[in-house]
Amino acid sequence: QAKQQGGNRYVMFDLEFSQRTQAEQRLRERLRVALEADELVLHYQPRVRLADGRLVGAEALVRWPQGDGTLWTPDRFIPLIEQDALIELLGEWAVRTVLRQQHAWRQQGCAVPVAVNIAARHFLRADFVARLQLLLAAAPDVPAGLLEIELVESAALDNLDQAARTIEQLRALGISVAIDDFGMGYASLGYLRRLPVDKVKIDRSFVMRMLDDADDRQVVQAIIGLAHTFGRTVVAEGVEHDGLARALRQMGCDEAQGYGVARPMPMADWPGWVERWRAAPPPWEAPAAVSA
Ligand code: C2E
Ligand code: MG
Ligand code: MG
Ligand code: MG
């Protein structure tokens, strides 16, 4: 009896498992088709300098429009393709799309360097830089310096020497490189020493809790100090309000990105946002509102 039950349970688990993998496989297929049909879109989130509020760049964040009018954020599909060649297709699509966008924004006077998120598996490809150069060559009027790379899930970098060589090649081309979500990977400390990146982006989970949690504040302060020791620029992500921006500036953090500056926005909103931002002082410098 028990054996039979166990057997049934095993069969049920198996069925559930294969149904899930089949659903995931269908989703991957649908994503491949959407990518080839150029149906995905990028939203852009600004990055600003804390000292004076100056706009210094933006990050391109992928969104997948669905038939029902909703937009899927990357957590719905990136985890399914991170170990798959599809993540490389997505990365190259994003670079191509950003370069096309930069062409237009340069003419509108609102181009700033835009960072594309690149997965470890893609970054470690031997031909990563060569293929990037082909994409850049296809956009001759866009300087390479208008493209930046954010290395995501760097904990998955199993070849630090190869990663370091790629970073050096990119920097030689004028392309700045950041380690994304710093603090999350267990090997982060060693990575910072061995990877010659320009920037370190502190994961938003530390930043968002910083004002309520002394431990998180210590982590953030330690990352800032460590990164500066190595001459790297520090970017805080998840800066949701002015209080955080002020605190981070006091702690010596260089740049900020987060809802407190702006949420990621569709490309059509970018020129207007840039114009408004440049016309006004950063919100964290505005005098506190006087309540009646
Ligand atoms: P990430 O690179 O760390 O991007 C920052 C994420 O934090 C974005 O989520 C952004 O919308 C969100 N965010 C920004 N400011 C705030 C804030 O103040 N508060 C809160 N709560 N969240 C904030 P999103 O767009 O959902 O992207 C999630 C992750 O998906 C990214 O994390 C990145 O790792 C990955 N991703 C996005 N686009 C791409 C892509 O084109 N290729 C690859 N490989 N990964 C991507
Ligand atoms: Mg990123
Ligand atoms: Mg990040
Ligand atoms: Mg993050």
Side-chain angles (χ1 to χ4, degrees):
Q1 167 91 36
K3 193 182 163 201
Q4 203 188 340
Q5 223 176 38
N8 283 342
R9 210 177 293 138
Y10 186 70
V11 168
M12 272 176 57
F13 170 75
D14 228 28
L15 195 66
E16 226 176 79
F17 178 77
S18 84
Q19 279 171 349
R20 196 176 62 231
T21 47
Q22 274 173 34
E24 289 177 359
Q25 197 48 40
R26 277 196 300 276
L27 201 65
R28 284 193 201 96
E29 240 357 90
R30 201 155 71 75
L31 181 58
R32 177 189 306 280
V33 171
L35 261 175
E36 276 161 7
D38 202 19
E39 285 169 5
L40 276 69
V41 297
L42 291 175
H43 280 192
Y44 295 87
Q45 186 177 36
R47 196 178 77 235
V48 302
R49 198 156 67 188
L50 279 163
D52 55 7
R54 194 189 136 129
L55 172 65
V56 285
E59 177 173 7
L61 296 157
V62 68
R63 304 285 181 261
W64 185 5
Q66 300 296 304
D68 61 4
T70 59
L71 273 185
W72 280 12
T73 47
D75 52 303
R76 294 283 295 265
F77 53 96
I78 299 268
L80 286 181
I81 62 167
E82 221 148 35
Q83 312 306 329
D84 190 288
L86 257 181
I87 196 75
E88 300 165 20
L89 272 187
L90 174 69
E92 293 200 341
W93 169 85
V95 168
R96 228 180 296 118
T97 306
V98 162
L99 292 175
R100 197 191 316 136
Q101 193 58 65
Q102 291 286 32
H103 170 85
W105 284 348
R106 256 161 73 84
Q107 289 168 337
Q108 295 168 263
C110 59
V112 294
V114 174
V116 172
N117 290 285
I118 297 292
R121 160 192 170 114
H122 188 186
F123 196 79
L124 286 176
R125 274 184 66 123
D127 60 355
F128 175 72
V129 176
R131 293 181 64 102
L132 202 64
Q133 282 181 289
L134 286 179
L135 295 174
L136 284 163
D141 55 334
V142 179
L146 283 182
L147 184 67
E148 300 185 337
I149 300 290
E150 286 187 14
L151 189 44
V152 297
E153 46 129 31
S154 54
L157 284 179
D158 50 22
N159 186 342
L160 284 190
D161 292 332
Q162 166 74 9
R165 272 194 302 274
T166 299
I167 292 166
E168 265 150 23
Q169 287 169 2
L170 290 169
R171 295 185 63 200
L173 291 172
I175 298 173
S176 147
V177 183
I179 300 186
D180 207 350
D181 302 332
F182 194 80
M184 292 309 278
Y186 44 89
S188 298
L189 257 162
Y191 284 18
L192 191 54
R193 187 173 63 78
R194 292 185 58 192
L195 300 179
V197 294
D198 302 276
K199 296 190 206 70
V200 171
K201 297 188 82 171
I202 308 176
D203 193 73
R204 70 166 187 265
S205 58
F206 302 111
V207 175
M208 287 170 61
R209 294 186 305 247
M210 197 182 85
L211 296 183
D212 316 308
D213 185 326
D215 290 340
D216 283 320
R217 195 180 163 88
Q218 292 299 325
V219 170
V220 170
Q221 188 69 75
I223 294 175
I224 294 171
L226 189 73
H228 282 168
T229 300
F230 289 106
R232 316 297 163 78
T233 297
V234 185
V235 184
E237 47 180 45
V239 180
E240 293 199 345
H241 52 81
D242 303 343
L244 266 177
R246 276 189 218 103
L248 285 159
R249 181 165 64 171
Q250 268 176 2
M251 290 162 74
C253 184
D254 303 296
E255 297 175 0
Q257 181 179 334
Y259 296 170
V261 175
R263 292 190 174 243
M265 64 189 92
M267 62 174 188
D269 294 353
W270 181 256
W273 185 88
V274 171
E275 196 178 325
R276 286 192 301 279
W277 182 264
R278 285 178 175 158
W284 58 87
E285 284 195 339
V290 182
S291 51

